[in-house]
């Protein structure tokens, strides 16, 4: 099979639910959890009085609060793409040749104000609608980093360094296109396993739309919670004094902020303000932080594993990390 025309292979459909009635699902579990939180609110309040646990809770809630609105936006847009947009539209909207479709899909990220949480389900829907995976993955990487909201936030966070906006846009776009082309060259069909969605094809459009929304919210949202918990744990465990020591070394400072971007898992609409606060680090290392964060972080890796499969995530995330660090550093050297 020609690697330029690879398509994701859907997983086998899940077995049908027994006719004896609907089994309790995620909604019921969430309702039960909320009831338990209300009943045991006083013991829980005493439990979170520990400063380290308060820090963990604050970071965990902050990641969720930042990400959930954009996750919902991405889920709704994903459902619209999956249900209402015909496959023929993408054949007309994107260039026929996959290599040309990659930069076109990357530039499409400019007009969609969403973060990485929303881009994951959108990319999944694009692949289901027949878009070559390379173009969908390029969009997945570009949209959270070069959309107008993110670039505006970057300009506000770095008023004394307006070139940071240009540097972030250029570096992120180059990484997205490079990873798309790399997938065309080396990617394999077996590495992407999208869950089969018979509910999108066998129901009316309105029912299919809400079914798609419910599925993606519960599916992607669960992995978002796992990633947020991991990010909060890292924030508590890693001593702040280590950062000051690393900032004094030009090479280690770049690698430190690249790894920190992965661990903190900050939404792309807010990461510029965090980068601006790390004033002990160079502009180069902070640019790498801004390029890596929207493309590779804990919650995003978790969501990609849930949407595309673990075989995809363990290959795509490390390759994207290395590419983002190298391109971000090179762009910084050229601009500064």
């Amino acid at each position: 099979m020609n690697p330029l025309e690879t398509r994701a292979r859907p997983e086998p459909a899940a077995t049908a639910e027994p006719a004896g009635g609907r089994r309790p699902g995620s909604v019921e579990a969430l309702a039960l959890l909320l009831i338990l939180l209300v009943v045991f609110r006083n013991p829980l309040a005493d439990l979170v009085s520990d400063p380290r646990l308060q820090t963990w809770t604050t970071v965990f809630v902050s990641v969720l609060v930042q990400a959930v609105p954009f996750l919902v936006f991405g889920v709704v847009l994903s459902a619209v793409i999956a249900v209402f947009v015909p496959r023929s539209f993408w054949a007309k909207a994107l260039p026929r040749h996959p290599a040309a479709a990659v930069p076109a899909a990357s530039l499409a990220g400019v007009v969609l104000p969403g973060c990485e949480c929303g881009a994951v389900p959108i990319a999944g829907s694009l692949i289901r609608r027949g878009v070559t995976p390379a173009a969908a993955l390029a969009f997945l990487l570009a949209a959270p980093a070069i959309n107008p909201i993110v670039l505006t936030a970057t300009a506000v966070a770095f008023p004394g360094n307006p070139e940071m906006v240009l540097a972030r846009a250029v570096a992120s776009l180059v990484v997205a296109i490079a990873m798309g082309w790399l997938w065309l060259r080396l990617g394999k069909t077996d590495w992407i396993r999208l869950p089969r969605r018979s509910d999108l094809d066998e129901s009316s459009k309105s029912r299919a739309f809400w079914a798609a929304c419910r599925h993606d919210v519960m599916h992607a949202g669960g992995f978002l919670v796992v990633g947020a918990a991991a990010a909060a744990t890292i924030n508590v465990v890693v001593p702040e004094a280590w950062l000051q020591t690393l900032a004094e070394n030009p090479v280690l400072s770049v690698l430190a902020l690249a790894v920190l971007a992965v661990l903190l898992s900050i939404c792309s609409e807010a990461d510029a303000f965090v980068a601006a606060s790390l004033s002990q680090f160079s502009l180069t290392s902070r640019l790498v932080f801004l390029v890596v964060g929207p493309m590779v972080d804990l919650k995003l890796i978790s969501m990609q594993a849930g949407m595309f499969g673990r075989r995809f995530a363990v290959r795509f995330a490390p390759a994207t990390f290395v590419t983002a660090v190298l391109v971000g550093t090179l762009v910084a050297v050229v601009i500064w």
Side-chain angles (χ1 to χ4, degrees):
M1 179 182 294
N2 190 336
L4 298 183
E5 299 177 354
T6 54
R7 293 292 185 270
R9 184 183 304 171
E11 291 182 348
T15 57
E17 188 177 292
R22 183 177 181 272
R23 291 178 295 180
S26 302
V27 176
E28 289 79 3
L30 178 60
L32 178 61
L33 177 60
L34 293 176
I35 293 173
L36 292 176
L37 289 176
V38 172
V39 173
F40 296 102
R41 60 184 182 277
N42 291 331
L44 289 174
D46 296 334
L47 181 63
V48 298
S49 60
D50 181 81
R52 290 171 63 86
L53 189 54
Q54 287 181 341
T55 300
W56 188 96
T57 304
T58 300
V59 174
F60 177 75
V61 173
S62 297
V63 171
L64 291 182
V65 168
Q66 291 175 12
V68 166
F70 296 99
L71 173 63
V72 173
F73 171 82
V75 164
V76 172
L77 185 57
S78 170
V80 170
I81 293 173
V83 176
F84 297 106
V85 179
R87 294 178 182 271
S88 59
F89 171 81
W90 302 111
K92 299 175 182 177
L94 294 175
R96 290 181 178 273
H97 198 286
V102 167
S106 301
L107 290 173
V110 176
V111 300
L112 289 176
C115 75
E116 57 270 28
C117 302
V120 172
I122 294 174
S125 283
L126 290 176
I127 295 176
R128 287 193 184 95
R129 304 313 288 175
V131 174
T132 178
L137 296 176
F139 171 85
L140 168 67
L141 298 179
I146 65 173
N147 71 70
I149 293 179
V150 170
L151 296 182
T152 300
T154 305
V156 173
F158 290 89
N161 302 101
E163 64 275 11
M164 181 65 80
V165 178
L166 175 63
R168 181 177 194 177
V170 171
S172 300
L173 186 61
V174 170
V175 173
I177 295 174
M179 288 303 301
W181 284 340
L182 183 63
W183 180 268
L184 284 177
R185 182 67 176 175
L186 302 176
K188 296 182 180 179
T189 305
D190 293 342
W191 293 352
I192 292 183
R193 291 280 185 173
L194 290 172
R196 188 169 181 177
R197 302 297 307 280
S198 58
D199 55 336
L200 300 182
D201 301 320
E202 300 173 1
S203 304
S204 64
K205 288 189 178 297
S206 59
R207 295 186 63 181
F209 173 79
W210 290 114
C213 288
R214 287 193 301 270
H215 176 276
D216 287 343
V217 164
M218 302 310 299
H219 197 68
F223 284 94
L224 172 60
V225 171
V226 172
T233 302
I234 293 297
N235 273 269
V236 173
V237 172
V238 177
E240 294 184 8
W242 291 8
L243 298 180
Q244 183 62 44
T245 302
L246 293 172
E248 298 174 358
N249 187 299
V251 176
L252 290 181
S253 65
V254 170
L255 296 177
L257 283 199
V259 173
L260 187 64
V262 176
L263 300 180
L264 290 181
S265 301
I266 303 172
C267 193
S268 59
E269 274 73 14
D271 61 359
F273 298 97
V274 176
S277 69
L278 300 172
S279 56
Q280 66 269 41
F281 288 87
S282 65
L283 287 176
T284 298
S285 57
R286 284 186 280 176
L287 173 62
V288 171
F289 176 88
L290 295 177
V291 175
V292 171
M295 299 184 177
V296 189
D297 64 33
L298 290 179
K299 69 177 186 302
L300 184 56
I301 294 173
S302 297
M303 293 174 67
Q304 288 178 355
M307 179 65 67
F308 303 114
R310 294 180 181 178
R311 297 186 67 188
F312 168 84
V314 298
R315 292 168 171 82
F316 191 72
T320 303
F321 177 83
V322 173
T323 304
V325 171
L326 294 177
V327 173
T329 303
L330 179 60
V331 170
V333 170
V334 173
I335 292 182
W336 290 297

